[in-house]
Amino acid sequence: MKRLMQYRIACTLTLAVLLIGATALRRGADDGEALKADLFWAQKLSWRAEASCVIAGDSRACRALVPNVLDKTHSRRRTLNFAFDSSGYSAAYLNAIEAVLDPHATERIVLLGITPYSLTPTALATNEFEYRRNWMPFQSMAGLYAKQSLRYVHPMRVDQAYDDLIAAMPKAATNAERDREFHDDGWLAMNRHDGRENVYAEHYRASFEGNTVDSEIVEQLLQYVRDWREKGIRVIAFRPPVSEIILSIENEYSGFDESAFRAAFEAAGGRWIDIEPTRYVTYDGSHVGREEAERFTANLAKNLASLPIERVFADSSN
Amino acid sequence: MLFNSLEFLAFLIIFLGLWPLLRRQRNRRWIGIVAASFFFYGWWDWRFCFLLVGSGLVDFFAAGAMQRYPQRKKLLLLVSIAANLGTLATFKYLDFAIDNLNALLPALGIDSQLAPMRLMLPIGISFYTFQSMSYTIDVYRGQIAPTRNVLHFFAYLAMFPQVVAGPVVRASSMLDQLDAPVCPTERDRWEGLQLMVRGFFKKMVIADGLAPLVAAAFDNTTVVPSAAYWWIIMAMFAFQIYGDFSGYSDIARGIARWMGYDFPLNFNHPYLATSFRDFWSRWHISLSTWFRDYVYVPLGGSQRGVWRSHANLWATMLISGLWHGAAWTFVGWGAVHAACLSIERITHWPRRLLALPGGRHAAALVVFATVLLGWVFFRATSFAQAGTVLAMMFGTHGLNTAAVHQLLHWRDLVPLAIMLLYHGWLHFDPPLPRLHWAGPVLQPAALAMLIWCCVYLRGPGNAFIYFQF
């Protein structure tokens, strides 16, 4: 025992290295997926003055809009999908959207995917954009790639630790992650086709309990639209694909009045495009898979092309 | 260079590896500490080093001159204090003063406005200026003799474990330690390692785990209308700032202990305090005692009558509030604590409560709840926001537990639960069997587990809160 006391520092450090090594081996495979997601979101956060067209919104816009399809109709346009899961239109997010736009582009467009949830206080308080912005320990992409070498000591949340290390079926929770395909232009393609459109209905209804569309958030968004219009940025909004069940839940419980919002949005200088969001097959009631995303974006591109041309040259003072 | 960064880990391993070669000879020891400390401090911005050197040299020469020209030592002390406070005022409070002046000018019928200077705030300036100032004051009072070696002085002033966020180490204890031969024992290194690991755990798992939730709550443009939610958020902030700051202090003390030095205890479970006086004898002890010795006592302390003692107490607490940040909300935080201390002195309520059955638990609960209310002013960005949050906490919109379920996941509450359980356990102090025989096995195992938690359960890597002060 006395000898053990003498070597307790060495014992502690050896034990710590063994524990960390064992953990790294146990969760090594899943970590690759987690790291891919980290790199995807971090790359989005690193975009500055890169696009002439920026797609914004929550997970629905993130999965439903394919920049590549939008750019096919316009050779000089560079579109990036800057949507984040559960994202609300906070001032920080709206500022970040503008920062992604290239001030020297001849035409600058912001495409806003409007969902009732994105205009609620909860969406502003907890969302992927804020979470990732606070989380990323590395500021540069070089740092992010350096991080790949640290994948084995990638941090995890407490519940994730339970799934990865203790729960009997650690892989079960990651099936959904395996369906994801991360694209450099910010599109998150989902290779899912299961049409379980009712499965999240109750969850959606509950998400609006004490959390309805906030008039201050709407007014703030409209103020940004006015400011952007003054800067020569075209602002176009649409409702992303959704099943009829979820749409009726949203309309009944969220306090969102689409026609009133549309009128106020257009009065602020924006343009609303109606592309019948319920015409697309969703895999969970509110998100579309790869093929439907391409179909939806192609339709949106057609609508965009039919809009009157409004070419605005960037102000040199920007 | 943040303590919770890979570059610091590399720096520390190299420094502690070289330390056995440096510590044996006095000059080599001082040169080693000074070089490492300036490298560490300059990592943020090398220009900061010039301010640290300038501020230190003024005090080094002022203290030396006091010994040489004792008849002019008052003047020399004034020069030293003016230089230190002038530096602090320029870099930390100038824009605050300009903003307030600009708010006043229209009332005086003056239309023009002063442009803010937007000077960069050097990291740790509040800590090292106070430390440097205490050196000249102690020399003036004859409590210590000035050192004649500038390296010795800077090894004390700039010593890297404490230069940016304390503990505010006194020259009276540190100069002697740095002068004497140092030979850390295996026990020193073990205690040092324990302190460092505990500090990293508090910072990386507890404070950084809670930080995003508190930030989200206060950054939100629409305040969540729920008393339950805001009490939880404020409890989270209480343990965030405690974990952040006491974690830093533990790491600093641990590094010093590994080197063979002793830094003073800075936090002694402040949330177990049963009175506000008790709280301030447990929270940021090195700064509280600094304010006591260099502000409260020189003002007259409690020796000049009841009203004067209350006035001195208020002055000290308001200055302490302003020291924490150049904003009126920090002064508000100081005022809350001054009011609580004053009420306590007048009513002696803790003594009366402690005499009742269960009084210790009630007193601890009252102090903790009031401290949470005080933290609202500390964390809020304006009095308006503080007022809104306080109104929510007092239930103007009801308890609304649904908001808690909606906005907080159970995993978010884990760091808070750990801290509450740990403090509860310490408070009730149950008679546990003493496992002396298992210590050598359990202690390394527990410490290895904490290291594992720091690696895998760490929160987003935020800078230490107290760096801004």
Side-chain angles (χ1 to χ4, degrees):
Chain A
M1 203 61 80
K2 206 171 181 182
R3 186 166 283 271
L4 198 60
M5 290 278 277
Q6 270 181 340
Y7 294 109
R8 55 192 166 177
I9 294 175
C11 284
T12 303
L13 297 177
T14 308
L15 203 53
V17 168
L18 288 175
L19 277 172
I20 292 164
T23 308
L25 290 176
R26 177 98 171 102
R27 65 195 287 263
D30 283 349
D31 235 0
E33 272 304 306
L35 193 68
K36 264 189 223 166
D38 275 359
L39 285 167
F40 173 73
W41 298 116
Q43 187 177 27
K44 284 197 183 200
L45 286 171
S46 73
W47 289 336
R48 295 284 181 282
E50 287 190 31
S52 55
C53 177
V54 176
I55 297 158
D58 58 18
S59 56
R60 293 193 210 172
C62 189
R63 284 153 182 77
L65 283 143
V66 192
N68 192 24
V69 174
L70 276 177
D71 292 347
K72 266 184 200 160
T73 59
H74 196 305
S75 60
R76 290 180 62 192
R77 184 182 291 155
R78 171 163 158 70
T79 305
L80 290 174
N81 187 326
F82 192 61
F84 288 83
D85 287 0
S86 310
S87 198
Y89 285 106
S90 65
Y93 182 50
L94 291 162
N95 289 332
I97 293 167
E98 190 180 339
V100 177
L101 279 174
D102 178 2
H104 304 296
T106 50
E107 186 189 42
R108 291 179 294 164
I109 301 174
V110 171
L111 276 174
L112 301 172
I114 300 292
T115 64
Y117 186 78
S118 67
L119 303 170
T120 62
T122 306
L124 257 66
T126 50
N127 59 66
E128 193 79 35
F129 173 73
E130 286 297 333
Y131 173 72
R132 293 287 169 182
R133 206 162 62 117
N134 288 324
W135 179 267
M136 294 318 298
F138 297 94
Q139 295 302 313
S140 64
M141 287 309 290
L144 279 165
Y145 285 107
K147 190 181 161 195
Q148 289 213 48
S149 59
L150 298 174
R151 55 180 293 189
Y152 290 109
V153 289
H154 192 61
M156 50 188 159
R157 297 173 184 176
V158 177
D159 50 342
Q160 190 191 346
Y162 178 79
D163 287 340
D164 282 6
L165 306 173
I166 300 165
M169 295 178 292
K171 309 293 182 219
T174 62
N175 284 345
E177 290 176 356
R178 294 228 177 81
D179 296 330
R180 296 183 301 187
E181 205 177 276
F182 300 105
H183 289 257
D184 287 345
D185 53 17
W187 177 41
L188 180 48
M190 297 297 290
N191 295 309
R192 287 179 67 177
H193 312 282
D194 45 330
R196 299 185 301 163
E197 300 209 320
N198 297 338
V199 75
Y200 291 111
E202 180 50 33
H203 168 80
Y204 263 86
R205 201 193 56 73
S207 73
F208 293 117
E209 270 176 20
N211 178 50
T212 51
V213 170
D214 188 301
S215 58
E216 281 181 36
I217 298 170
V218 172
E219 182 44 44
Q220 180 179 259
L221 174 63
L222 296 177
Q223 188 52 49
Y224 270 84
V225 174
R226 286 181 209 109
D227 294 346
W228 283 340
R229 292 299 293 142
E230 276 181 23
K231 292 175 186 171
I233 300 167
R234 294 186 88 177
V235 190
I236 295 158
F238 59 92
R239 199 154 174 177
V242 63
S243 70
E244 283 188 12
I245 298 157
I246 301 293
L247 185 75
S248 65
I249 287 172
E250 283 183 345
N251 289 342
E252 191 175 344
Y253 296 101
S254 72
F256 182 62
D257 179 346
E258 187 177 310
S259 54
F261 179 85
R262 177 182 178 158
F265 183 75
E266 292 190 329
R271 186 88 186 205
W272 183 272
I273 296 182
D274 191 357
I275 32 178
E276 296 177 67
T278 54
R279 275 179 51 203
Y280 304 87
V281 179
T282 68
Y283 60 79
D284 63 354
S286 57
H287 300 97
V288 290
R290 161 190 283 282
E291 289 79 15
E292 289 297 280
E294 284 168 347
R295 198 161 73 86
F296 175 78
T297 314
N299 259 339
L300 184 73
K302 242 187 256 171
N303 277 273
L304 276 178
S306 68
L307 290 179
I309 292 169
E310 184 187 333
R311 180 157 295 178
V312 183
F313 290 93
D315 182 349
S316 58
S317 66
N318 281 336
Chain B
M1 201 185 295
L2 294 172
F3 275 1
N4 51 338
S5 65
L6 282 176
E7 55 263 29
F8 179 74
L9 191 65
F11 166 82
L12 188 65
I13 290 169
I14 293 168
F15 179 80
L16 294 180
L18 291 173
W19 182 239
L21 303 174
L22 297 170
R23 66 180 165 78
R24 294 179 202 283
Q25 206 260 334
R26 203 165 60 171
N27 277 333
R28 203 190 297 164
R29 183 163 68 234
W30 294 340
I31 291 169
I33 291 174
V34 171
S37 299
F38 276 95
F39 178 79
F40 168 82
Y41 190 64
W43 189 267
W44 275 285
D45 191 327
W46 57 271
R47 291 168 297 178
F48 290 168
C49 294
F50 291 107
L51 197 64
L52 180 57
V53 170
S55 177
L57 283 178
V58 169
D59 292 319
F60 174 75
F61 286 116
M66 278 182 202
Q67 194 179 46
R68 201 165 171 185
Y69 309 106
Q71 69 282 12
R72 292 191 181 163
K73 66 179 191 176
K74 198 164 199 166
L75 177 70
L76 290 162
L77 178 68
L78 287 174
V79 169
S80 157
I81 291 176
N84 281 299
L85 292 184
T87 309
L88 200 56
T90 307
F91 284 94
K92 189 166 175 180
Y93 299 106
L94 188 59
D95 279 354
F96 175 61
I98 289 172
D99 288 345
N100 282 289
L101 201 59
N102 282 340
L104 277 176
L105 287 177
L108 300 170
I110 302 167
D111 280 342
S112 59
Q113 295 273 292
L114 298 167
M117 302 299 288
R118 305 267 180 256
L119 294 174
M120 194 163 45
L121 181 66
I123 285 171
I125 187 169
S126 305
F127 286 92
Y128 69 73
T129 49
F130 269 39
Q131 196 160 305
S132 195
M133 217 157 42
S134 74
Y135 168 72
T136 44
I137 296 171
D138 286 353
V139 171
Y140 171 80
R141 287 173 174 174
Q143 290 170 346
I144 57 167
T147 174
R148 291 181 181 181
N149 190 312
V150 75
L151 289 171
H152 185 200
F153 176 74
F154 274 103
Y156 150 71
L157 183 67
M159 199 173 181
F160 73 86
Q162 50 80 41
V163 66
V164 291
V168 184
V169 183
R170 300 288 180 87
S172 51
S173 82
M174 208 57 218
L175 284 176
D176 285 347
Q177 286 193 61
L178 284 164
D179 200 25
V182 60
C183 186
T185 60
E186 197 276 336
R187 189 192 174 91
D188 284 331
R189 282 194 288 270
W190 172 244
E191 287 176 359
L193 180 70
Q194 282 185 306
L195 278 167
M196 279 189 263
V197 172
R198 278 211 303 261
F200 278 116
F201 180 82
K202 281 186 195 171
K203 167 63 183 160
M204 298 170 76
V205 180
I206 302 294
D208 288 353
L210 294 170
L213 300 154
V214 176
F218 276 88
D219 291 349
N220 202 348
T221 50
T222 313
V223 177
V224 178
S226 160
Y229 174 78
W230 281 105
W231 278 103
I232 291 173
I233 288 294
M234 288 320 299
M236 284 180 170
F237 179 66
F239 286 108
Q240 182 202 342
I241 195 165
Y242 170 68
D244 194 285
F245 196 22
S246 75
Y248 186 94
S249 292
D250 285 349
I251 298 166
R253 290 179 64 224
I255 296 168
R257 183 65 64 86
W258 187 291
M259 291 165 70
Y261 298 120
D262 255 330
F263 282 177
L265 180 69
N266 215 14
F267 290 85
N268 185 18
H269 306 298
Y271 296 137
L272 296 180
T274 51
S275 70
F276 286 94
R277 189 183 169 155
D278 188 20
F279 177 81
W280 282 102
S281 66
R282 292 163 175 265
W283 178 271
H284 203 172
I285 301 165
S286 65
L287 185 75
S288 308
T289 49
W290 195 100
F291 274 109
R292 182 196 65 200
D293 294 346
Y294 299 108
V295 180
Y296 182 69
V297 171
L299 285 171
S302 54
Q303 304 300 312
R304 297 190 185 173
V306 175
W307 292 110
R308 182 66 188 269
S309 82
H310 280 280
N312 293 341
L313 171 73
W314 274 79
T316 308
M317 292 311 294
L318 296 182
I319 294 169
S320 164
L322 196 60
W323 176 90
H324 282 84
W328 288 112
T329 45
F330 290 105
V331 181
W333 170 73
V336 168
H337 278 274
C340 292
L341 286 163
S342 272
I343 291 167
E344 192 171 289
R345 273 192 188 180
I346 294 163
T347 61
H348 302 288
W349 68 264
R351 207 173 57 197
R352 293 175 195 195
L353 194 58
L354 288 171
L356 299 173
R360 195 168 69 91
H361 309 315
L365 205 62
V366 168
V367 173
F368 182 60
T370 317
V371 166
L372 294 193
L373 297 175
W375 284 135
V376 174
F377 290 95
F378 196 95
R379 182 59 180 81
T381 49
S382 66
F383 279 112
Q385 189 185 36
T388 314
V389 172
L390 285 172
M392 296 299 163
M393 290 175 82
F394 283 110
T396 50
H397 285 69
L399 200 59
N400 189 8
T401 49
V404 177
H405 290 298
Q406 206 158 52
L407 296 174
L408 299 173
H409 191 273
W410 69 263
R411 66 167 173 259
D412 300 335
L413 301 172
V414 170
L416 179 64
I418 291 171
M419 293 308 272
L420 285 174
L421 287 173
Y422 175 63
H423 278 74
W425 178 70
L426 286 177
H427 179 74
F428 286 99
D429 194 15
L432 287 177
R434 297 196 176 277
L435 303 171
H436 283 305
W437 58 271
V441 177
L442 283 186
Q443 282 183 351
L447 216 55
M449 230 14 246
L450 288 186
I451 295 173
W452 180 91
C453 288
C454 291
V455 172
Y456 284 113
L457 299 182
R458 65 187 191 270
N462 288 335
F464 289 84
I465 296 176
Y466 266 70
F467 279 15
Q468 63 191 288
F469 301 144

